Amino acid sequence: MGGVSVRLTIFASGSKGNCALLETDGTRLLVDAGLSATRIQEHLAAVDRAPSDLHGILLTHEHDDHTSALRVFAARHELPVFTNQETRCATLEASRRGARDALDLDWRIFRTGEPFAVGDFDVDPFSIPHDACDPVGFLFRAASRSVAFVTDLGQVTALVADKARQAEALVLEANHEHRLLMEDPNRSWAVKQRISGSHGHLSNEKAARALERIVSDRLSHVFLAHLSEDCNRPDLAEETMRRGLEELGASRVKVTVAHQREPCATLELASCRAVAAETLPLFGLTRAAA
Ligand SMILES: [Zn+2]
Ligand SMILES: [Zn+2]
């Protein structure tokens, strides 16, 4: 294990683009790349990182707000893209519609449900219910620390709760306030059904209700993610989550709302002991660790 701490910086979160930086001292990964190449570069520069410092991009699913930077950013900087086969196919299919040339990237294919290693990180990709081909959440482990990404999803299944419970820092979707979604004059009934359905997006209420199955002594931070700009409000999402945590006697857990336009402050999970890695299929990394 190279790093003694794990750092998480959410660059942006929401339906207009998602991207987060997860790093140890030796391995730097982006989780999703749904911003413009310029924006990602600016966010990296703000934390003293350059695209050449990255070891890869991991994709949760093929929707544009998670993949739009692939063509320019991943290709230009020759970054490996870790995803499952279904998501790769769907991403290629979507890109073919908008461009003449194929999306020629360094794809590294994992299987949903089968853990693998990327540098210092053990990565556990697990299935989540969402209207995409093979969407996943991720549970990352490095240097005895753990971070989970659970977005976008319509419901918290037993599998999702089981994985999320293992994280000390959890990025959890709180997409909409149910009442605001239902009252929204700009969305059709069908769209509202899709968003609030079991393969849509998690509401504030559903996210808070899931806490009962997620909260453990290990959990220290919750980042509320993918907030709708017109069917949610940061204060509502935060309040619902805090109340849920209080009811479970877990008000010690820090809650941070991730935004579309502003990055979150970097969370550092420091570790004083290195833990031996389990034997997992290892993806070769071509970049030397800085
Ligand atoms: Zn999304
Ligand atoms: Zn999506």
Side-chain angles (χ1 to χ4, degrees):
M1 286 265 159
V4 291
S5 73
V6 173
R7 291 178 299 280
L8 167 67
T9 314
I10 298 178
F11 289 159
S13 182
S15 60
K16 293 192 176 73
N18 296 271
C19 187
L21 173 67
L22 185 65
E23 52 182 344
T24 62
D25 294 341
T27 306
R28 296 177 196 91
L29 304 171
L30 289 186
V31 180
D32 286 328
L35 302 171
S36 73
T38 311
R39 273 313 272 153
I40 294 179
Q41 204 147 336
E42 287 169 0
H43 283 304
L44 284 169
V47 290
D48 284 329
R49 300 279 179 260
S52 58
D53 295 330
L54 296 173
H55 295 86
I57 301 172
L58 288 92
L59 300 181
T60 57
H61 63 298
E62 69 271 22
H63 289 162
D64 221 42
D65 56 319
H66 301 258
T67 57
S68 61
L70 289 184
R71 174 171 295 279
V72 177
F73 188 77
R76 180 186 295 161
H77 301 292
E78 298 180 357
L79 291 169
V81 179
F82 298 83
T83 188
N84 55 42
Q85 194 61 267
E86 293 287 317
T87 301
R88 173 181 171 271
C89 291
T91 305
L92 287 172
E93 188 55 40
S95 95
R96 250 181 230 119
R97 287 196 290 269
R100 280 164 298 162
D101 53 329
L103 198 53
D104 184 20
L105 297 174
D106 178 6
W107 298 99
R108 311 282 175 101
I109 304 301
F110 61 72
R111 284 173 194 264
T112 303
E114 292 187 11
F116 58 94
V118 185
D120 289 338
F121 286 101
D122 291 344
V123 187
D124 185 356
F126 55 91
S127 202
I128 59 171
H130 185 54
D131 55 355
C133 286
D134 190 5
V136 297
F138 290 114
L139 175 61
F140 293 93
R141 283 199 187 83
S144 79
R145 315 313 302 243
S146 52
V147 176
F149 281 77
V150 181
T151 173
D152 318 11
L153 72 172
Q155 59 180 324
V156 175
T157 61
L159 174 68
V160 170
D162 180 56
K163 300 296 180 183
R165 196 166 47 240
Q166 298 175 51
E168 56 187 304
L170 172 64
V171 182
L172 179 64
E173 172 162 51
N175 178 258
H176 56 274
E177 176 81 5
H178 187 71
R179 180 182 56 82
L180 294 183
L181 175 66
M182 290 304 141
E183 289 171 1
D184 181 10
N186 300 316
R187 286 181 167 84
S188 68
W189 182 83
V191 169
K192 292 176 184 179
Q193 291 302 306
R194 188 188 73 74
I195 293 172
S196 62
S198 61
H199 286 65
H201 291 276
L202 220 55
S203 66
N204 294 337
E205 300 88 339
K206 278 189 190 174
R209 267 203 305 276
L211 287 174
E212 206 176 323
R213 294 179 290 147
I214 289 175
V215 169
S216 73
D217 292 346
R218 196 182 292 119
L219 184 68
S220 61
H221 291 81
V222 174
F223 289 88
L224 298 178
H226 219 290
L227 267 71
S228 164
E229 290 192 303
D230 35 41
C231 296
N232 206 351
R233 290 201 326 254
D235 62 312
L236 279 179
E238 190 173 334
E239 173 58 27
T240 307
M241 184 56 54
R242 281 194 195 286
R243 217 178 315 122
L245 286 166
E246 248 164 54
E247 281 167 17
L248 294 166
S251 35
R252 62 184 168 76
V253 176
K254 286 197 76 172
V255 179
T256 304
V257 177
H259 292 272
Q260 186 70 81
R261 294 163 217 284
E262 285 290 313
C264 293
T266 299
L267 170 69
E268 178 155 15
L269 301 169
S271 178
C272 49
R273 64 194 174 96
V275 168
E278 290 170 49
T279 308
L280 295 170
L282 181 67
F283 284 99
L285 290 174
T286 49
R287 279 163 205 274

